[in-house]
């Protein structure tokens, strides 16, 4: 699980694959309302991408190179990541609940959703802006945060 | 409003003359103590010692609110769980008025007394808050007409009294007494709940729609008591309901053999004992007996409650002779008098109901007085041991007078208050015996025997003030006014009842009595007997035997103490049961929980399988027929690979190989989803499968690479377990996904472009974020919670130990 175990091939492939997975996940999140996808699966996919990084490069790498923090102690590093991740799922939960509360501000039942269509756009031609997307984004963040928490905690053991 | 004596045969009762009570007054009286309990921490910070006066004021307001509804009768309702027919219905009639006036009125005196008594005690804010909440719960028990509301308040009294009995946190015996009281009264309450649910079921049989309303309104159970009894008998539930309700009442009112918690509960501060164990909590049980009397009365009722009550009365009166501590004596005596009330309600003639209703009042008056006196003695003389006390009249003359009034009332000596209700019991027992003959003659005999012992211990208590003062007894201080005033008020009331019992009867007892009678209640009249009736003769025998036996009190005391050891006492059985349970769990736990994951999994999965399969068998679940089943070649191939993979997991040589094979199974399932036109599900399955694989690999990194050799028995056990789990899951899926005629899928497909106006082409996602967004919110909350648990369980594991 640390950097020295991974082969060059594994390191190189993960470097290339990591952004691709994130991109796919993001696409799944965006198209969820109309085609297969959605917040949950996009969240799991994102978590998989980070899990790959952790397995191949280890925590220290993520701390030093991605987050730009200097950590000496692996355990302390893991705990910092845990804190960050818990912030992510807390934010997600707040977003999901908040999107429901907005509907109440308009005098509608909790979690009522609506949609707006934008027409005649370049490239897209027609874009659907569903309020459900905000809720879905909340789901996404909760899943990402929670799964990464579990991964880092279990991984640090 | 109240039947006058001699108004000619049939009296008119509250039911006909009453007006509806004011809803605001009743709900305010009930809610105020709870609100005040919440405020106590703040009040205590501001007022300190004077919190007692605040609490007394609250009790006084509640008392005033209830008293303002004097003469009213009827129900007021607040919706609670309308879908289940449960409401917060308060019903006021004579009986609930009596109990709630006792709870709030004695409450005022107890809080006043606490101001003097709790001066140097710890945890005063907690004490006053709990006592206020307790008073509110007791008012709730008295007023609730809905059975579920009654149950909730009933258990609330148990829980708050748990806090009060265990008030002295450092005392091991107080803690164990509190636990004992909680276990006995709460478990009794749970039996009672089952009885209530059966009653609701019977009401469905009787009226077509189930109701939880016990009394009040034309649809209540008591208003249709005959129909309810018929329904109960037809369904064969009459005896179970009677037994379950009796169990709840007996546990709360400390009836034999569940009486043992009451003497133990004397670990509580004395004002608490005076309140809970004389005027309120233990009265809840006899209140329930009185309340359900019109509904369940009959031959079985009489046999059960008259026997139980008289037995309790006699056994605990004898135990009171063996008491060495004044509070212990009073505690056994309380159980004894509760037995008297239960026996009274048990007799099906109207005299019995008169006994119960009148003695509830009388007992509260004299027993609360005596408890408060016991508190004064303990406070001022520094001891509660009977042997060390005597001649207190020299130092506490006023308290002596108070005690004399109360103790003679307790002894049943004319013309003190307890005499009249005991006389009614004798009459009721005699009438019953006269009517039934044969074995029923035991009732009056036992009643007299029990009363003789009652007389003996009452006189023993009074003797604390007579005789010579022992040399060992030090200086006895004079109590403060706050300590003397409450028992003086109670003794004064007891005196009034003693001198003019008809006044109390007219004021409240008549209507309370009427509430416990099925049908018309006759007008009740109580007076000092002027001619020799059987009951008068029984009283004369009681007093004569009591006086004759009193010189031998010490020998009786020693005899009772010698007899009440080991298996002869209920405490012995309780302790034995508790120790036995502890031992059994200590022995069985190492077998159930070896600390190895494997054992835990075996027990968890095994019990789940057994429970689920038994559940299916009990519910008579039948497998749905397979319809529209089409098997294509690709499906067969994929499922075959999946089965192969499943078989391969069992023989995988290492963890990594096992996990990889498991993944094959998972991916095959994903492919199956693709073929079954569920792309969303397939996508999720694929990604989750990948993630699970990753997590497994992370964990496996730290595990030894190879399995150990498994014994043959283990392999067989695991195979059986695996087959069982597989069967259960398969059955569950088949049963749960059985196509129902009006499938909900059609609705989703039709309404799918949601929100209205388009969008939302993916039904799965639309269901998740639109139709069932609240579910999804719940699910992500669970996910978040799981992550938080992981953090607390694992990431923080080292911190607590190291710091």
């Amino acid at each position: 699980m640390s950097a020295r175990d991974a082969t060059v091939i594994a390191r190189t492939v993960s470097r290339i694959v990591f952004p691709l997975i994130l991109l796919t996940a993001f696409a799944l999140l965006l198209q969820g309302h109309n085609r297969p996808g959605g917040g949950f699966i996009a969240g799991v996919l994102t978590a998989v991408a980070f899990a790959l990084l952790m397995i191949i490069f280890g925590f220290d790498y993520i701390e030093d190179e991605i987050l730009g923090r200097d950590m000496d102690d692996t355990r302390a590093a893991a705990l910092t990541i845990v804190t960050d991740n818990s912030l992510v799922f807390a934010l997600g939960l707040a977003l999901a609940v908040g999107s429901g509360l907005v509907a109440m501000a308009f005098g509608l039942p909790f979690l009522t959703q609506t949609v707006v269509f934008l027409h005649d756009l370049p490239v897209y031609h027609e874009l659907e802006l569903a309020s459900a997307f905000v809720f879905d984004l909340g789901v996404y963040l909760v899943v990402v945060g929670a799964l990464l928490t579990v991964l880092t905690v279990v991984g640090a053991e | 409003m109240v039947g006058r004596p001699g108004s000619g045969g049939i009296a008119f009762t509250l039911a006909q003359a009453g007006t509806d009570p004011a809803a605001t007054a009743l709900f305010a009286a009930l809610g105020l103590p709870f609100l005040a309990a919440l405020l106590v921490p703040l009040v205590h910070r501001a007022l300190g010692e004077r919190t007692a006066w605040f609490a007394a004021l609250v009790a006084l307001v509640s008392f005033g609110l209830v008293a303002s509804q004097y003469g009213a009768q009827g129900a007021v309702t607040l919706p609670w769980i309308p879908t289940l027919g449960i409401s917060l219905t308060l019903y006021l009639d004579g009986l609930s008025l009596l109990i709630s006036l006792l709870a709030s009125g004695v409450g005022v005196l107890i809080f006043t007394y606490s101001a003097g008594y709790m001066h140097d005690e710890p945890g005063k804010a907690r004490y006053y808050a709990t006592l206020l909440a307790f008073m509110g719960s007791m008012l709730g028990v008295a007023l609730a007409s809905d059975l579920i509301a009654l149950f909730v308040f009933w258990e609330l009294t148990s829980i708050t009294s748990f806090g009060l009995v265990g008030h002295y946190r450092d005392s091991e015996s107080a803690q164990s007494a509190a636990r004992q009281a909680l276990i006995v009264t709460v478990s009794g309450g749970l039996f009672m709940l089952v009885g209530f649910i059966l009653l609701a079921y019977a009401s469905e049989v009787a009226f077509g729609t189930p109701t939880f309303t016990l009394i009040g309104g034309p649809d209540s159970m008591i208003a249709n008591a005959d129909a309810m009894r018929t329904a109960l008998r037809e369904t064969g539930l009459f005896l179970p309901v009677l037994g379950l309700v009796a169990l709840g009442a007996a546990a709360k009112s400390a009836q034999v053999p569940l009486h043992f918690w009451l003497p133990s509960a004397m670990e509580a501060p004395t004002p608490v004992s005076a309140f809970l164990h004389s005027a309120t909590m233990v009265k809840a049980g006899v209140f329930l007996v009185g309340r359900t009397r019109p509904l369940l009365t009959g031959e079985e009722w009489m046999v059960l409650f008259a026997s139980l009550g008289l037995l309790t009365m006699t056994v605990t009166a004898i135990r009171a002779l063996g008491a060495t501590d004044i509070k212990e004596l009073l505690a056994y005596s309380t159980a004894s008098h509760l037995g008297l009330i239960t026996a009274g309600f048990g007799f099906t003639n109207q005299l019995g109901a008169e006994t119960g209703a009148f003695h509830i009042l009388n007992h509260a008056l004299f027993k609360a007085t005596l408890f408060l006196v016991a508190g004064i003695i303990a406070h001022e003389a520094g001891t509660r041991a009977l042997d060390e006390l005597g001649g207190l009249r020299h130092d506490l003359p006023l308290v002596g007078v108070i005690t004399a009034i109360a103790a003679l009332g307790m002894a049943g000596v004319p013309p003190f208050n307890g005499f009249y209700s005991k006389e009614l019991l004798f009459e009721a027992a005699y009438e019953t015996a006269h009517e039934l003959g044969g074995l029923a003659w035991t009732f009056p005999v036992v009643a007299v025997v029990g009363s003789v012992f009652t007389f003996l211990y009452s006189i023993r208590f009074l003797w604390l003030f007579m005789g010579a003062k022992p040399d060992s007894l030090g200086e006895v201080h004079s109590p403060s006014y706050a300590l003397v005033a409450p028992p003086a008020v109670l003794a004064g009331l007891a005196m009034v009842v003693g001198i003019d019992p008809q006044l109390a009867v007219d004021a409240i007892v008549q209507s309370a009595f009427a509430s416990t009678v099925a049908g018309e209640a006759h007008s009740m009249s109580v007076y000092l007997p002027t001619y020799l009736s059987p009951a008068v003769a029984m009283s004369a025998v009681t007093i004569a035997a009591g006086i004759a036996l009193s010189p031998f009190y010490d020998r009786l005391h020693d005899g009772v103490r010698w007899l009440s050891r080991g298996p002869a006492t209920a405490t012995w059985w309780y302790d034995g049961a508790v120790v036995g349970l502890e031992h059994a769990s200590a022995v069985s736990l190492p077998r159930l929980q070896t600390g190895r994951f494997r054992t835990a999994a075996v027990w968890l999965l095994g019990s789940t399988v057994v429970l689920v399969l038994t559940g299916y068998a009990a519910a008579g679940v039948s497998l749905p027929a397979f319809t529209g089943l089409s098997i294509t070649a690709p499906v067969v191939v994929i499922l075959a690979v999946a089965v192969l993979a499943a078989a391969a997991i069992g023989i995988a040589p290492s963890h990594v190989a096992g996990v990889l094979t498991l993944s094959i199974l998972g991916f095959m399932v994903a492919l199956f989803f693709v073929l079954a036109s569920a792309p969303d599900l397939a996508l999720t399955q694929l990604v989750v499968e990948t993630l699970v694989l990753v997590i497994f690999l992370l964990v496996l990194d730290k595990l030894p690479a190879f399995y150990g050799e498994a014994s043959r028995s283990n392999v067989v056990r695991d195979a059986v377990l695996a087959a069982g789990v597989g069967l259960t899951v398969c059955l569950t899926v088949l049963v749960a996904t059985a196509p129902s005629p009006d499938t909900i899928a059609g609705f989703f497909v039709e309404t799918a472009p949601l929100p209205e106006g388009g969008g939302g082409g993916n039904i799965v996602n639309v269901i998740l974020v639109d139709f069932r967004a609240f579910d999804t919110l719940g699910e992500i909350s669970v996910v978040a919670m799981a992550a938080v648990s992981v953090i607390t369980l694992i990431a923080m594991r080292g911190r607590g130990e190291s710091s």
Side-chain angles (χ1 to χ4, degrees):
Chain A
M1 201 184 52
S2 60
R4 62 177 186 279
D5 296 339
T7 59
V8 176
I9 298 176
R11 288 158 153 264
T12 317
V13 170
S14 356
R15 267 175 215 265
I16 300 165
V17 165
F18 178 71
L20 289 179
I21 303 180
L22 282 191
L23 200 63
T24 318
F26 198 58
L28 283 177
L29 175 66
L30 288 182
Q31 70 170 17
H33 211 226
N34 290 316
R35 269 165 301 210
F40 180 76
I41 183 168
V44 178
L45 209 53
T46 312
V48 169
F50 280 100
L52 188 70
L53 277 198
M54 279 178 210
I55 292 174
I56 303 297
F57 297 98
F59 290 112
D60 304 340
Y61 178 81
I62 298 179
E63 281 294 315
D64 295 345
E65 305 295 323
I66 299 183
L67 300 174
R69 285 192 287 231
D70 191 21
M71 288 286 170
D72 303 329
D73 181 13
T74 314
R75 189 172 171 83
L79 280 177
T80 318
I81 297 178
V82 168
T83 320
D84 294 345
N85 291 332
S86 43
L87 270 182
V88 170
F89 70 69
L91 181 70
L93 212 51
L95 201 60
V97 175
S99 76
L101 290 178
V102 169
M104 290 178 83
F106 287 98
L108 295 164
F110 183 55
L111 282 174
T112 306
Q113 311 290 5
T114 184
V115 70
V116 174
F117 285 97
L118 298 180
H119 297 283
D120 303 323
L121 290 173
V123 189
Y124 274 102
H125 303 301
E126 186 188 83
L127 188 60
E128 172 198 338
L129 291 182
S131 68
F133 175 74
V134 181
F135 182 75
D136 228 10
L137 192 65
V139 175
Y140 171 81
L141 290 178
V142 170
V143 172
V144 171
L147 281 179
L148 284 183
T149 306
V150 176
L151 272 176
T152 43
V153 170
V154 173
E157 283 298 299
Chain B
M1 174 189 65
V2 171
R4 308 297 307 183
S7 61
I10 302 164
F12 58 101
T13 60
L14 269 179
Q16 288 145 321
T19 52
D20 277 347
T24 43
L26 287 190
F27 281 112
L30 177 61
L32 203 60
F34 289 106
L35 188 69
L38 288 178
L39 291 177
V40 159
L42 291 175
V43 173
H44 186 258
R45 199 165 294 172
L47 295 181
E49 288 287 343
R50 281 164 294 167
T51 313
W53 302 114
F54 164 76
L57 184 69
V58 170
L60 190 63
V61 173
S62 273
F63 179 82
L65 284 168
V66 176
S68 73
Q69 299 308 305
Y70 179 84
Q73 175 169 23
V76 291
T77 301
L78 203 68
W80 183 12
I81 315 175
T83 44
L84 294 177
I86 296 170
S87 59
L88 187 59
T89 305
L90 302 185
Y91 179 75
L92 194 74
D93 67 349
L95 189 62
S96 47
L97 184 72
L98 172 62
I99 300 279
S100 41
L101 285 182
L102 280 178
S104 50
V106 178
V108 176
L109 300 175
I110 294 296
F111 284 120
T112 312
Y113 184 84
S114 299
Y117 190 87
M118 298 299 287
H119 233 282
D120 311 317
E121 304 286 339
K124 276 189 282 286
R126 175 160 52 84
Y127 171 84
Y128 288 116
T130 323
L131 205 55
L132 275 170
F134 172 81
M135 194 183 82
S137 318
M138 198 56 215
L139 285 172
V141 168
L143 292 171
S145 125
D146 184 271
L147 287 175
I148 298 298
L150 173 62
F151 169 76
V152 169
F153 286 118
W154 180 280
E155 296 294 45
L156 265 180
T157 62
S158 295
I159 292 166
T160 43
S161 69
F162 171 73
L164 291 168
V165 173
H167 179 74
Y168 298 114
R169 295 278 165 95
D170 301 334
S171 155
E172 183 57 41
S173 55
Q175 300 302 306
S176 101
R179 268 198 304 277
Q180 200 178 50
L182 186 77
I183 290 173
V184 174
T185 56
V186 166
S187 47
L190 293 178
F191 283 106
M192 185 185 80
L193 177 65
V194 178
F196 286 174
I197 291 169
L198 291 180
L199 270 178
Y201 170 75
S203 74
E204 188 173 9
V205 175
F207 320 139
T209 49
T211 176
F212 278 102
T213 311
L214 177 66
I215 191 166
D219 301 328
S220 69
M221 294 180 184
I222 287 181
N224 305 283
D226 287 332
M228 281 295 295
R229 272 201 294 276
T230 316
L232 281 169
R233 292 213 187 270
E234 274 171 4
T235 47
L237 288 174
F238 186 81
L239 283 181
V241 166
L242 181 62
L244 289 165
V245 171
L247 203 52
K252 201 75 162 182
S253 274
Q255 302 293 296
V256 167
L258 301 173
H259 61 282
F260 55 90
W261 68 264
L262 187 54
S264 312
M266 291 304 129
E267 294 285 345
T270 302
V272 170
S273 305
F275 195 40
L276 270 62
H277 305 136
S278 65
T280 53
M281 178 163 106
V282 291
K283 287 284 198 296
V286 288
F287 164 75
L288 183 72
V289 176
R291 188 48 106 202
T292 50
R293 194 175 182 274
L295 182 64
L296 298 172
T297 184
E299 197 180 326
E300 297 97 332
W301 170 279
M302 200 274 286
V303 172
L304 176 67
F305 281 112
S307 316
L308 179 73
L310 287 175
L311 184 71
T312 304
M313 177 179 163
T314 310
V315 168
T316 47
I318 294 173
R319 287 300 305 272
L321 293 187
T324 51
D325 175 306
I326 49 178
K327 274 181 82 179
E328 189 191 356
L329 186 148
L330 291 177
Y332 277 117
S333 141
T334 299
S336 174
H337 284 275
L338 293 168
L340 196 162
I341 299 172
T342 308
F345 281 137
F347 290 118
T348 41
N349 50 29
Q350 296 208 354
L351 285 165
E354 288 183 8
T355 313
F358 200 10
H359 205 66
I360 285 182
L361 175 69
N362 285 337
H363 176 248
L365 291 180
F366 66 65
K367 191 53 64 64
T369 311
L370 291 177
F371 267 119
L372 295 179
V373 166
I376 293 175
I377 294 175
H379 217 252
E380 309 304 339
T383 176
R384 292 198 328 229
L386 278 165
D387 296 344
E388 299 169 15
L389 291 164
L392 289 170
R393 70 177 185 283
H394 301 295
D395 297 307
L396 307 168
L398 180 58
V399 180
V401 173
I402 292 171
T403 310
I405 295 171
L408 290 174
M410 179 159 81
V413 174
F416 295 94
N417 66 347
F419 168 76
Y420 301 100
S421 38
K422 197 193 60 183
E423 195 73 359
L424 286 168
L425 176 79
F426 285 167
E427 276 185 54
Y430 181 82
E431 289 292 325
T432 306
H434 191 73
E435 191 183 325
L436 298 176
L439 258 183
W441 284 104
T442 329
F443 289 137
V445 173
V446 174
V448 170
V449 171
S451 300
V452 171
F453 292 112
T454 307
F455 180 86
L456 277 172
Y457 70 69
S458 303
I459 298 305
R460 178 67 186 87
F461 190 90
L462 186 56
W463 215 250
L464 295 174
F465 290 83
M466 304 297 153
K469 189 175 168 181
D471 299 333
S472 57
L473 189 62
E475 192 194 346
V476 179
H477 317 276
S478 299
S480 64
Y481 289 115
L483 285 181
V484 180
V489 170
L490 287 166
L493 287 173
M495 198 65 220
V496 170
V497 175
I499 292 169
D500 187 1
Q502 193 60 40
L503 188 69
V505 166
D506 289 345
I508 193 158
V509 177
Q510 168 73 36
S511 58
F513 149 65
S515 317
T516 62
V517 174
E520 289 283 316
H522 65 69
S523 136
M524 178 177 171
S525 58
V526 183
Y527 45 85
L528 264 184
T530 47
Y531 57 93
L532 189 69
S533 67
V536 174
M538 286 158 81
S539 273
V541 169
T542 303
I543 294 171
I547 292 172
L549 281 173
S550 51
F552 308 104
Y553 188 89
D554 287 341
R555 264 190 246 173
L556 285 169
H557 171 81
D558 293 340
V560 170
R561 287 203 71 72
W562 186 81
L563 279 174
S564 52
R565 294 177 307 177
T569 62
T571 315
W572 185 85
W573 291 95
Y574 172 83
D575 290 342
V578 170
V579 170
L581 275 176
E582 278 176 1
H583 181 70
S585 62
V587 169
S588 57
L589 201 63
R591 288 170 206 280
L592 297 172
Q593 288 290 350
T594 53
R596 274 179 302 192
F597 177 69
R598 188 173 277 270
T599 330
V602 166
W603 285 108
L604 181 69
L605 294 174
S607 43
T608 311
V609 166
V610 169
L611 283 176
V612 171
L613 291 184
T614 320
Y616 286 155
V621 170
S622 59
L623 277 182
F626 288 93
T627 49
L629 190 69
S630 61
I631 299 173
T632 55
V635 172
V636 171
V637 172
I638 286 170
L639 290 184
V641 174
V643 169
L644 277 180
I649 297 170
I651 52 169
S654 72
H655 288 302
V656 175
V659 169
L660 289 175
T661 347
L662 189 63
S663 289
I664 297 178
L665 180 59
F667 285 120
M668 287 306 127
V669 173
L671 283 181
F672 174 74
F673 286 146
V674 173
L675 293 176
S677 350
D680 224 314
L681 210 50
L683 202 54
T684 312
Q685 170 79 14
L686 278 174
V687 178
V688 169
E689 197 57 50
T690 315
L691 189 70
V692 168
L693 185 64
V694 167
I695 293 181
F696 262 125
L697 290 176
L698 273 175
V699 176
L700 289 182
D701 204 35
K702 302 289 181 197
L703 286 180
F706 294 96
Y707 295 115
E709 281 298 313
S711 70
R712 184 169 288 273
S713 62
N714 272 358
V715 171
V716 171
R717 182 196 66 187
D718 291 352
V720 169
L721 192 64
V725 172
L727 180 71
T728 312
V729 171
C730 185
L731 273 178
T732 308
V733 169
L734 285 177
V735 171
T737 59
S740 49
D742 49 342
T743 170
I744 197 168
F747 169 80
F748 285 138
V749 174
E750 275 170 32
T751 338
L754 202 106
E756 277 154 41
N762 178 7
I763 295 186
V764 176
N765 196 277
V766 168
I767 291 175
L768 284 179
V769 298
D770 290 317
F771 288 113
R772 320 217 49 172
F774 204 62
D775 273 5
T776 311
L777 188 64
E779 277 157 21
I780 59 174
S781 313
V782 170
V783 171
M785 224 179 293
V788 171
S789 342
V790 168
I791 296 175
T792 24
L793 276 177
I794 299 180
M796 311 250 169
R797 189 171 52 192
R799 296 190 186 177
E801 290 161 6
S802 57
S803 63

